[in-house]
Amino acid sequence: MSQPPITTASGIPVADNQNSLSAGPRGPLLLQDFHLLEKLQHFNRERIPERVVHAKGSGAYGTFTVTHDITRFTKARLFASIGKQTETFVRFSTVGGEKGSADTERDPRGFAMRFYTEDGNWDLVGNNTPMFFIKDGIKFPDFIHTQKRDPQTNLKSPTMMFDFWSKTPESLHQVTMLFSDRGTPDGYRHMDGFGSHTFSLINEAGERVYCKWHLKTQQGIKNLPAAVATRIAGEDPDYAQRDLFGAIAAGDFPRWDVRLQVATEAELAAWEQRTGWNPFDLTKVWPHADFPLIPVGVFELNRNPVNYHAEVEQAALSPSNVVPGLGYSPDKMLQARLFAYHDAQLYRVGVNHQHLPVNAPRCPFHNQQRDGAMAIANGGGAQNYQPVDSNGSNPQGMGHGEPGLALHGAAGRYDGRGKEDDYTQAGNLFRLLPAQEQQNLFDNIAGPLSQVSAEIIARQLTHFDQADPAYGAGVRAALKARGVEVA
């Protein structure tokens, strides 16, 4: 296919794109060869900072279709009627690895969805696990540092990982999920997704309920055995990207059922009183027996991006993006992410990242934000300020009909560690696994755990024991099979 004539970025025709302008046939080159300079200058600036977490990822567009009425819970207009469709964008990712890392590494997977609604963008920025390693965002940088590289050796370090985990029993639930078979999903199409955090819904009457979002794959759960995941990492490190792009290109569109768990504040208070579990603690789940799944809709991925950098690398999602009828919760990890994700995009992509097509809302938007680098939608000649309303604005609740949030206790720093139950749910997850998957869990843990000190091993085994004695015994046996002496 023939290409159009080459021009500079300013649209000026290029006379010669094969040879630099030189003084004589052997040079030196001339500074006035602007085409050469522009090419090299742009090439030096082609990369933007990669994400600190979720650096390696894949993306696609699709549609969300409402299949069940949830208007009794939320007035968000994307759920207004059965059959209503909303354009979506999804970015899948690994979490701890760099941009060039392998898709099949043992790691949680990011599952970030954007809904381009008539009231702006709703971003549901989750993972393929319903829980996380920590419950307070102040420890997030510390935790992620342990998943990166040792500052001296520049190597991944099992010692850093298990030193942190063994001193952080709240991590055990997610550690159990990570080292189970679900820690190495077979691509992105064969895994579930979760909003993970507790969010809220607000209906037309201004009533709030809390909720958790679930995305259940219609392709069926498929995971890679550890040895197969390691082999593929060497043979085809872009395995998940190739699988997703290829399936969509072939018309084999992946689909997920969207479901909800819903609870009133009173129901959550009663549940916490009965179980001792904080419903806003990200290291915990809401058991389905207590809060059944409610069907909502289906989303399908059916269109590949045309340009990866423009549409996937520059995609900038944030859990702070919620539309009227949807809201947050007191979840401490969520509260931290409401700031951190948007701030990361300001640094990584730029102050006007929301002007880029993949990030721009599909509805009109108006505000007094102006200027900055790469301002595209800069408000034209419209007024760039809004004066104070001297008569008062009579605000109601938290806005958009959302009632005020009752607060409890004085401002301060609170720590429930050492008093909260970090073991029962981890043990419940362990006991749900079939015998072979339990053995896989033991073996998957014993590999990296066998590389750390006896002190860390002993500390970590104590946590397994408290979750379930069979859990600790199984890891001990797997360590002994690798020649590690344990008590």
Side-chain angles (χ1 to χ4, degrees):
M1 185 174 66
S2 63
Q3 294 185 338
I6 299 292
T7 71
T8 69
S10 298
I12 302 165
V14 171
D16 189 341
N17 193 38
Q18 305 296 326
N19 307 290
S20 301
L21 189 62
S22 62
R26 296 190 177 183
L29 302 182
L30 302 185
L31 187 62
Q32 74 178 56
D33 189 352
F34 178 74
H35 177 53
L36 167 67
L37 300 185
E38 183 182 65
K39 285 185 73 171
L40 295 179
Q41 288 168 331
H42 190 279
F43 178 76
N44 286 344
R45 294 162 175 80
E46 281 184 355
R47 297 292 173 264
I48 62 176
E50 73 172 37
R51 294 166 173 85
V52 177
V53 287
H54 300 277
K56 177 78 179 291
S58 304
Y61 296 93
T63 54
F64 165 72
T65 304
V66 177
T67 59
H68 291 75
D69 181 13
I70 61 167
T71 55
R72 63 192 183 279
F73 300 126
T74 177
K75 66 178 182 179
R77 289 201 288 171
L78 77 155
F79 303 113
S81 59
I82 293 175
K84 183 170 183 176
Q85 288 197 332
T86 299
E87 181 188 359
T88 62
F89 173 83
V90 175
R91 184 177 184 271
F92 303 109
S93 57
T94 51
V95 175
E98 299 92 349
K99 194 170 183 298
S101 59
D103 288 348
T104 58
E105 290 184 1
R106 183 169 300 280
D107 203 7
R109 301 299 192 268
F111 200 124
M113 293 188 65
R114 167 165 289 158
F115 299 76
Y116 298 99
T117 86
E118 60 264 65
D119 290 317
N121 293 347
W122 170 37
D123 292 348
L124 182 62
V125 187
N127 283 334
N128 71 327
T129 61
M131 76 295 281
F132 197 60
F133 297 94
I134 53 175
K135 59 183 70 180
D136 191 321
I138 200 168
K139 299 308 297 177
F140 187 73
D142 301 279
F143 164 65
I144 291 300
H145 287 168
T146 73
Q147 306 299 297
K148 296 292 187 177
R149 295 181 179 273
D150 183 281
Q152 180 179 24
T153 67
N154 197 41
L155 299 172
K156 293 291 185 76
S157 171
T159 293
M160 291 199 307
M161 290 190 295
F162 278 101
D163 181 55
F164 185 91
W165 288 332
S166 66
K167 295 173 179 174
T168 313
E170 68 199 62
S171 68
L172 184 60
H173 198 188
Q174 174 77 310
V175 167
T176 304
M177 177 71 84
L178 175 64
F179 285 94
S180 75
D181 289 358
R182 294 206 182 195
T184 50
D186 188 350
Y188 299 128
R189 296 184 298 132
H190 295 283
M191 66 183 193
D192 290 342
F194 303 87
S196 302
H197 298 286
T198 301
F199 293 94
S200 58
L201 304 172
I202 300 91
N203 65 16
E204 285 287 359
E207 299 164 329
R208 179 190 292 114
V209 293
Y210 289 103
C211 71
K212 284 184 178 287
W213 293 96
H214 297 252
L215 312 160
K216 310 296 287 186
T217 177
Q218 291 188 5
Q219 290 69 240
I221 293 290
K222 285 178 62 178
N223 301 305
L224 297 170
V228 174
T230 300
R231 175 178 59 78
I232 294 175
E235 295 177 352
D236 185 6
D238 301 317
Y239 174 83
Q241 163 72 14
R242 192 181 318 282
D243 175 74
L244 178 67
F245 191 95
I248 294 173
D252 183 11
F253 301 141
R255 306 179 86 199
W256 285 259
D257 293 318
V258 180
R259 298 177 183 172
L260 267 181
Q261 289 176 290
V262 172
T264 65
E265 188 169 4
E267 288 171 334
L268 291 181
W271 180 75
E272 182 174 4
Q273 181 69 27
R274 177 169 59 85
T275 64
W277 298 328
N278 175 359
F280 306 113
D281 179 351
L282 185 56
T283 68
K284 304 294 189 293
V285 298
W286 296 1
H288 294 180
D290 295 331
F291 305 99
L293 291 178
I294 299 171
V296 177
V298 174
F299 85 87
E300 173 185 275
L301 295 179
N302 49 35
R303 178 164 64 91
N304 281 318
V306 174
N307 184 279
Y308 180 89
H309 180 85
E311 300 170 79
V312 182
E313 187 63 17
Q314 292 190 134
L317 288 80
S318 171
S320 58
N321 291 335
V322 296
V323 298
L326 306 177
Y328 313 130
S329 83
D331 178 339
K332 289 183 178 181
M333 277 295 296
L334 173 60
Q335 293 285 320
R337 292 178 77 213
L338 298 180
F339 164 79
Y341 271 62
H342 182 69
D343 185 66
Q345 313 303 355
L346 295 175
Y347 161 72
R348 196 180 66 85
V349 187
V351 68
N352 288 305
H353 65 267
Q354 289 133 311
H355 297 181
L356 297 172
V358 70
N359 299 322
R362 302 299 189 254
C363 63
F365 63 97
H366 312 280
N367 54 48
Q368 284 76 49
Q369 297 173 17
R370 296 291 187 273
D371 307 341
M374 302 295 177
I376 299 170
N378 204 34
Q383 184 172 290
N384 63 353
Y385 68 95
Q386 184 180 52
V388 173
D389 187 341
S390 60
N391 293 320
S393 58
N394 191 32
Q396 301 293 318
M398 299 177 70
H400 296 301
E402 181 174 358
L405 185 66
L407 303 178
H408 307 280
R413 300 184 187 273
Y414 296 88
D415 191 354
R417 297 181 183 94
K419 301 182 285 290
E420 297 172 343
D421 174 13
D422 293 317
Y423 298 107
T424 301
Q425 288 205 1
N428 290 343
L429 175 58
F430 170 75
R431 288 182 285 274
L432 281 175
L433 300 177
Q436 183 57 56
E437 291 188 26
Q438 289 184 353
Q439 185 59 53
N440 295 344
L441 172 68
F442 305 148
D443 293 336
N444 294 337
I445 290 173
L449 189 59
S450 67
Q451 302 173 45
V452 309
S453 70
E455 176 188 358
I456 294 175
I457 291 175
R459 198 161 55 227
Q460 187 67 48
L461 286 173
T462 299
H463 300 316
F464 298 144
D465 290 338
Q466 292 187 72
D468 191 297
Y471 194 169
V475 176
R476 281 181 175 82
L479 286 169
K480 289 177 181 177
R482 284 165 172 76
V484 179
E485 292 297 325
V486 291

